[in-house]
Amino acid sequence: MLDALPDALVLVNANGTVVNANAIALEAFETPGTALVGRGLLDLLPEFDSKLIPGSMRRPDHMDPRGRTKPTRMTARRTDGTEFPVEVTSANLESGQQAYDSYGYTGDELLMLVVRDLSGTVDTEAELARSQRQTEMILRAAGEGVVGTDTDGRIVLVNPAAAQILGYRASDLGGKELHNLFLHSRADGSPFPYDESPLADTLRSGRKHRVRGQVLWSKSGDKVPVDLTTAPVRDGDQLVGAVMTFLDRRPYDALVEEKEAAEQRHAEELERLAEEHASDLTALRQRHVTELEELRERHAEELAAGEDRYAALAEREKDRYEALAGRYEQLLTLLGTSLRGPLDELRRELSALAADDAGQLWPEANQVLHHLSAGYSRITTLIDNVLGYQRLDSGSDEITRTKVMLDSVVATGVDGAVELIGPGRVQFAVHAPPIEAEVDATLLATALAHLVADVAGVDATGNSPVSAGGYLDNTVVVAAAQRGEVVRIEVRGPYSGGDPVHEPIVRGIVRAHGGVLQTHEVPGMSGSAYVLEVPIGGGAGAVSAPAAPEVDAVPAAERTSGGGRRRARRASTDAFLDAD
């Protein structure tokens, strides 16, 4: 039976020791590995009055004859030391033997304690108190009047805004009938029956009402126009009252009246001004019409003169364009046919002479012939690249995109640069990882060749400018990397570049690919760095390459097929690859 009780039951002997406990007490106080029975009561209930223990020699002044106490809240402690809130009621259990002292206690008396766990109750009470405080703060902060009633229409709740609007003290309204105080009459002073009011219908049917322009009556008897809302209050499915909220319309009505008065004054002022300036307005309109007509005639004359002038300009520009087009065609024909053909013939003849199959030439003459052959070859290549750029720029040729590996394009561009600037003129530091891009490989390699020739400072004749500062590093760095969806190629050389032959070709080819070409000054170093970026397109981007010696790892003494030397990658190249 004791185990079936909903609360913990603990029996304590005269020594203050727990001698028995029901199942609920063991569940509440006992933790695994510890025992409740045999533990001191004050260890479990430190705040319990020790004078109530049967063995105590100090009997309380006002003690129930049976040692009963009222429910008292205190903090309990489990056998592992954790604490929780409880409510404790105690009572003495007598054994029937005679008391052995003047206090009425015997050695066999037991103290029974009923301990109720309040863990959930305390949290619920705190939450209810917090919710109540929050509700009160909301009601106090609300600018609208809020009045709550019971089912009989009597006031049970009033917020400060409602009392202030109606001129009452909130404490004076409790328990009074709302309708008789505030809604007893209509705006014209006629009686307003309770059964016809929105509050009465809400209390009868549970419907919600919104009324605009309702009139409430203040304590002083003044009419208070409000926008009123009534809503039912339910406890589950049962209607227990209603809430009436209202907004004082007097400030808004005053603003409306002020606005209407201002508009009326404005209209009167406009009418007065219109009467005063009617004649002035008529004269101004006539003058405006006359001026407008004159402006139309003048504008028509200017348009006619402009059309004649622009027609003459257009004719003159057309003649200039046709003359330029004729000269352009003549120049292209000269470069492509009249000049390039003889140059090819001269190059072939010089090459045949330089071969000197019979060995009849002096070594110096043979060297000069080789040099002339290389010069004619360089001029022929330059003419071909210029003509190709002109055809691309004019739209007669288009780029042909294919998926190619960028390292092969860079290698071809470096070899093309050697043809433009001559063998042995510069040395290269090249870094071109395997990156697949969808580009026109031939045109992009041509652009790289001219960019290298530009920063190398070698002109079409194969001559390099003389450095005023003595020795100048003639290394050209070519580094490529992938940055997102674009391929980024940097070309840096000892000279600033900007040659009027090389740079337009590079920019035209890059622009045809939808890319950009930028120039950067390198602090602490001579020359400029060009950064060329083109979209990857349908290419796969960076791909893994088989383990093999990179171009950068070729010894400095080894030469490429074109004669330009390549050497290991420098720290400046690493800085470019790590940069944004």
Side-chain angles (χ1 to χ4, degrees):
M1 292 175 60
L2 296 179
D3 289 340
L5 292 176
D7 297 323
L9 183 66
V10 180
L11 296 180
V12 180
N13 63 12
N15 294 328
T17 304
V18 176
V19 296
N20 204 347
N22 67 347
I24 301 299
L26 295 176
E27 181 180 351
F29 283 93
E30 198 172 66
T31 56
T34 60
L36 174 63
V37 177
R39 191 174 292 270
L41 175 62
L42 296 182
D43 291 341
L44 303 174
L45 299 172
E47 301 174 11
F48 187 78
D49 189 357
S50 60
K51 292 186 286 186
L52 297 176
I53 300 175
S56 175
M57 301 301 294
R58 296 175 297 168
R59 185 186 181 100
D61 297 334
H62 302 287
M63 182 176 178
D64 186 272
R66 296 184 180 181
R68 295 177 179 175
T69 60
K70 294 181 180 180
T72 305
R73 291 192 177 186
M74 62 184 66
T75 300
R77 183 183 298 152
R78 297 185 179 90
T79 54
D80 63 352
T82 59
E83 296 181 348
F84 60 100
V86 296
E87 185 180 73
V88 180
T89 305
S90 64
N92 289 337
L93 297 179
E94 297 182 0
S95 63
Q97 299 179 1
Q98 295 294 328
Y100 66 88
D101 57 15
S102 60
Y103 294 102
Y105 292 120
T106 69
D108 295 333
E109 280 186 310
L110 297 174
L111 179 65
M112 179 181 68
L113 295 96
V114 179
V115 182
R116 177 169 295 175
D117 190 350
L118 298 180
S119 298
T121 304
V122 170
D123 295 339
T124 302
E125 290 176 351
E127 180 63 24
L128 289 174
R130 188 192 65 80
S131 177
Q132 183 177 0
R133 289 194 304 270
Q134 185 177 13
T135 302
E136 291 176 355
M137 288 188 294
I138 292 174
L139 289 175
R140 289 181 179 277
E144 295 183 347
V146 180
V147 181
T149 69
D150 57 15
T151 54
D152 295 329
R154 297 184 180 277
I155 299 173
V156 297
L157 179 145
V158 179
N159 75 331
Q164 181 181 4
I165 292 172
L166 297 174
Y168 288 91
R169 293 170 61 95
S171 58
D172 297 338
L173 298 175
K176 296 184 179 179
E177 292 185 2
L178 183 148
H179 183 83
N180 293 336
L181 284 177
F182 311 142
L183 285 169
H184 51 78
S185 301
R186 293 188 172 89
D188 58 1
S190 60
F192 187 20
Y194 172 75
D195 294 336
E196 299 178 10
S197 67
L199 177 64
D201 185 74
T202 297
L203 291 174
R204 283 194 307 267
S205 63
R207 289 191 293 265
K208 187 176 181 179
H209 291 277
R210 286 190 177 92
V211 183
R212 185 178 178 85
Q214 180 69 46
V215 172
L216 299 181
W217 295 88
S218 66
K219 182 178 181 181
S220 61
D222 297 332
K223 292 186 293 185
V224 181
V226 296
D227 291 337
L228 181 143
T229 301
T230 60
V233 178
R234 299 182 185 275
D235 185 3
D237 295 334
Q238 183 178 0
L239 185 66
V240 296
V243 173
M244 184 180 76
T245 61
F246 52 89
L247 178 65
D248 189 358
R249 291 192 55 83
R250 287 177 293 186
Y252 302 100
D253 292 343
L255 288 175
V256 171
E257 293 176 357
E258 183 178 352
K259 180 181 177 182
E260 291 176 351
E263 290 177 350
Q264 180 64 28
R265 291 193 301 271
H266 181 65
E268 293 175 355
E269 183 67 17
L270 285 178
E271 185 177 357
R272 184 183 64 79
L273 291 174
E275 293 176 355
E276 290 180 358
H277 300 288
S279 58
D280 296 339
L281 288 174
T282 302
L284 286 173
R285 288 193 187 97
Q286 185 62 36
R287 189 185 310 162
H288 176 68
V289 170
T290 303
E291 292 177 354
L292 186 60
E293 190 65 29
E294 293 176 355
L295 287 174
R296 285 199 185 99
E297 294 176 357
R298 190 185 310 163
H299 182 62
E301 294 174 357
E302 292 177 354
L303 283 178
E307 289 177 356
D308 295 340
R309 185 169 59 256
Y310 290 139
L313 289 175
E315 189 67 26
R316 188 163 60 252
E317 291 298 323
K318 180 180 178 182
D319 295 339
R320 289 181 58 191
Y321 174 76
E322 291 176 353
L324 288 174
R327 289 196 294 272
Y328 174 74
E329 291 295 333
Q330 181 185 18
L331 180 60
L332 290 183
T333 303
L334 175 65
L335 290 176
T337 305
S338 302
L339 183 59
R340 192 186 184 285
L343 285 174
D344 282 340
E345 185 65 26
L346 285 173
R347 181 176 59 83
R348 285 193 295 269
E349 292 178 358
L350 288 173
S351 297
L353 289 174
D356 191 17
D357 297 331
Q360 299 177 356
L361 295 176
W362 290 93
E364 292 82 358
N366 187 275
Q367 183 178 1
V368 170
L369 289 175
H370 275 292
H371 180 72
L372 290 175
S373 177
Y376 280 116
S377 177
R378 181 167 55 252
I379 295 174
T380 303
T381 303
L382 181 61
I383 291 174
D384 289 341
N385 292 343
V386 171
L387 290 175
Y389 160 68
Q390 292 293 338
R391 288 192 294 269
L392 180 66
D393 189 57
S394 63
S396 58
D397 287 351
E398 295 181 354
I399 63 173
T400 303
R401 297 179 186 268
T402 57
K403 294 180 181 178
V404 296
M405 298 305 295
L406 190 65
D407 51 353
S408 64
V409 175
V410 172
T412 305
V414 171
D415 293 339
V418 172
E419 293 181 6
L420 289 174
I421 63 180
R425 296 300 184 116
V426 296
Q427 55 184 355
F428 298 94
V430 182
H431 177 79
I435 302 173
E436 186 184 54
E438 189 177 20
V439 297
D440 191 319
T442 303
L443 288 176
L444 190 57
T446 300
L448 285 175
H450 281 275
L451 199 54
V452 170
D454 194 19
V455 299
V458 178
D459 58 16
T461 64
N463 295 322
S464 301
V466 178
S467 175
Y471 172 75
L472 183 65
D473 187 4
N474 64 345
T475 302
V476 175
V477 178
V478 182
Q482 180 180 352
R483 292 293 184 265
E485 297 298 324
V486 301
V487 173
R488 183 182 183 189
I489 305 175
E490 181 191 23
V491 178
R492 185 171 67 249
Y495 295 96
S496 59
D499 187 87
V501 175
H502 297 302
E503 187 175 4
I505 296 176
V506 180
R507 291 194 182 276
I509 295 175
V510 172
R511 184 168 58 249
H513 279 81
V516 294
L517 178 67
Q518 298 177 344
T519 307
H520 300 280
E521 297 294 335
V522 182
M525 297 183 65
S526 62
S528 297
Y530 283 88
V531 177
L532 182 154
E533 292 184 350
V534 294
I536 292 178
V543 297
S544 58
E550 295 185 2
V551 176
D552 300 332
V554 177
E558 185 176 345
R559 296 176 181 270
T560 64
S561 59
R565 291 179 295 168
R566 304 186 184 180
R567 65 182 188 182
R569 200 172 74 203
R570 303 188 309 174
S572 59
T573 308
D574 295 328
F576 158 71
L577 294 173
D578 296 335
D580 291 335

